[in-house]
Every structure is written in structure tokens, then in C-alpha cells.
Amino acid sequence: GGCESCFRSVAPFASRFTPVPCMPPSSPALSPRSSSSLSERGWVGRRGRRQAHRQPLCQQREITGARRRKSAGLMASVEQYSLWIKPSGAAEQALQRQINELAREHGTETFEPHVTLFSLFETADVSIFDKLQALARDAGPFSIPLAKTATAGKSFYQCVYLLCDKVPALLDLHHKVRDLLESSEGVTVKLANPDAYMPHLSLIYGDLTDEGRQEAAAAIQASAETLQVTSFEVYATPMSRPEDWMSVAKCNLS
């Protein structure tokens, strides 16, 4: 976040779904793209998490509200997504605590710690998640060293952040994901910085003054040194507050 992926969209927040008559799963009137096909791809249905654990592809997590209506058979409209690399274990706890403390100190938003692997893309076709899972299986785990000191940015979502080393495995994964998304029918890629991938981990989201950003960055020491990468996640990132963003799929690196 904060990342390329978390730049602000200027499009108005639109209704995500167009209702159609609900019909039982056995009804012949259901299209092949309805609830049964979404279930096969790993979308959580009315039975929630228990159904997700039985899916063989992207591991689904906490799909509620509008996305649950999608699995119940309603037609999906275009949604906006980003791909995040999430820290785990002690690193995740330390970074989340640091982000929360900085948000309280500066009166800004809190959010989940992450490095954006790719942002943003829009699609109504959830089959792209299967393709991302297949891509992930061909990539092995790796680590990302973080800068020890923070950098002051120039935008809301790049207010203050830690730069990440551009390790070959990270750059290779980013470029493969980009090639896949740009070549997939029904997917629209929207990059904030299309010519320069700048991997980083945001610590502050906010509209601080230039002086405020510089002072905040100067006072920060990284609470983690390295991220161990074993997966990336697909996050729904509509134009809204970070608290409304949610993980909809997890793709494990083999």
C-alpha cells in the first residue's frame, strides 16, 4: 500500500453488482459462470470459511458482503484489485505495531503492512486468480531486505515508507505478473508508475506537510530487517478507506 498499488482512484465508487433472480444451485437456468463455477474456483459461498478450505486453487479468505452475493449467483461488475506481499510472524507484528503507533501520533490512517507486488488492475473475471496461482507455483520463496531508515514521499499513499531491496526474485515475479495481467483478456492494468517499479513498505498514509513528512521519516527506525516471502495475496482495493480493503485470495509460492 502506499505503493503504486495504493494510489487514489478518481472514479466514483460504483455499485459492484447488478441483481438477478436468485435460483437454487440445481436450476438449469443458472449460467456456467454462476455460483457453481465460482465455487469451483475457490470463492466462498453461503457456508463461509468451511467451503473455502476445500478449494484446491487460490485459498480464499473472509469474503463477505458483496463478494458473498457474487458467489450466491449475482452478476459481478468490474472490481479493482492489487497484489500484496504480506509480512508474517514477528515481522508482521512489529510492523503492524509501528504503523498503529505512527497513525496515533500523526492522526492518520492505520492499515495492514505490505509490499505491493502489483497495482492496480480491474476485472470482472475471477478466473484470473487461477492464472495467478499457477504463476505462483512456478516461483520459489525468497527474502526481501528492508531499509533501516525511512524515506519521505510526496503523496498520500507514499507519505513515509521503507524502501525494499530490488532483489532479482522480486523483480522477476513482478514482471511475470505484469506480463500475465497485461496479456489477459478482460483485465485492465492501471499503474501509478508504469515505467518504474519501486518496491516499498509504507509506514504512514496521510496528507502531512513536506516538513512533517521529513520530520516523521527522520525519527523512524525500521522495526523489521527482512521479509520472508512465501506467498502473495490478491486484495480488493476499491476507492475507499484502507479499512474497507480485503484479501480475497492467497497464492502460495512453491
Side-chain angles (χ1 to χ4, degrees):
C3 338
E4 320 174 301
S5 98
C6 300
F7 76 94
R8 284 168 144 180
S9 169
V10 297
F13 187 73
S15 174
R16 297 287 177 200
F17 301 92
T18 302
V20 297
C22 293
M23 308 188 72
S26 59
S27 171
L30 282 176
S31 72
R33 305 280 302 181
S34 63
S35 59
S36 59
S37 61
L38 287 172
S39 176
E40 290 168 2
R41 292 189 175 94
W43 285 86
V44 175
R46 295 185 181 275
R47 281 175 280 184
R49 284 180 177 274
R50 289 176 295 173
Q51 181 176 342
H53 293 317
R54 295 197 291 269
Q55 305 306 325
L57 297 178
C58 292
Q59 300 172 13
Q60 306 302 323
R61 300 171 57 188
E62 295 185 4
I63 300 176
T64 58
R67 289 171 187 80
R68 185 167 290 169
R69 292 198 298 275
K70 179 189 296 183
S71 67
L74 302 187
M75 295 175 64
S77 60
V78 172
E79 294 199 45
Q80 182 170 277
Y81 300 97
S82 303
L83 303 182
W84 288 7
I85 293 172
K86 299 283 298 297
S88 59
E92 178 183 19
Q93 295 175 12
L95 287 165
Q96 186 68 74
R97 184 165 52 249
Q98 186 172 34
I99 289 170
N100 292 346
E101 290 172 353
L102 289 168
R104 285 193 295 270
E105 179 181 348
H106 297 281
T108 56
E109 299 271 4
T110 188
F111 51 92
E112 297 179 54
H114 63 278
V115 174
T116 297
L117 175 63
F118 191 87
S119 71
L120 295 156
F121 68 95
E122 295 180 345
T123 187
D125 185 1
V126 298
S127 68
I128 190 64
F129 299 165
D130 292 353
K131 298 177 183 178
L132 288 167
Q133 177 64 34
L135 184 152
R137 288 197 297 269
D138 291 334
F142 58 95
S143 60
I144 305 175
L146 299 175
K148 293 180 172 61
T149 57
T151 297
K154 297 183 181 297
S155 65
F156 183 94
Y157 290 112
Q158 293 182 3
C159 183
V160 178
Y161 52 82
L162 300 174
L163 285 169
C164 303
D165 278 7
K166 294 183 177 181
V167 294
L170 173 60
L171 297 181
D172 183 61
L173 185 58
H174 168 78
H175 290 307
K176 287 181 177 178
V177 164
R178 179 171 180 172
D179 289 344
L180 171 63
L181 294 175
E182 289 183 335
S183 63
S184 296
E185 184 177 356
V187 176
T188 301
V189 169
K190 295 185 175 183
L191 294 177
N193 302 302
D195 299 323
Y197 176 48
M198 185 187 74
H200 63 281
L201 189 146
S202 288
L203 295 175
I204 298 177
Y205 286 168
D207 288 320
L208 304 185
T209 64
D210 289 344
E211 182 179 1
R213 290 194 295 268
Q214 295 290 343
E215 290 179 353
I220 291 173
Q221 292 293 317
S223 59
E225 297 181 353
T226 304
L227 302 184
Q228 302 300 323
V229 182
T230 60
S231 65
F232 61 84
E233 299 188 37
V234 182
Y235 261 71
T237 52
M239 188 193 71
S240 59
R241 299 182 63 183
E243 65 187 22
D244 297 326
W245 301 341
M246 70 166 71
S247 175
V248 297
K250 183 174 182 180
C251 299
N252 293 317
L253 307 182
S254 297

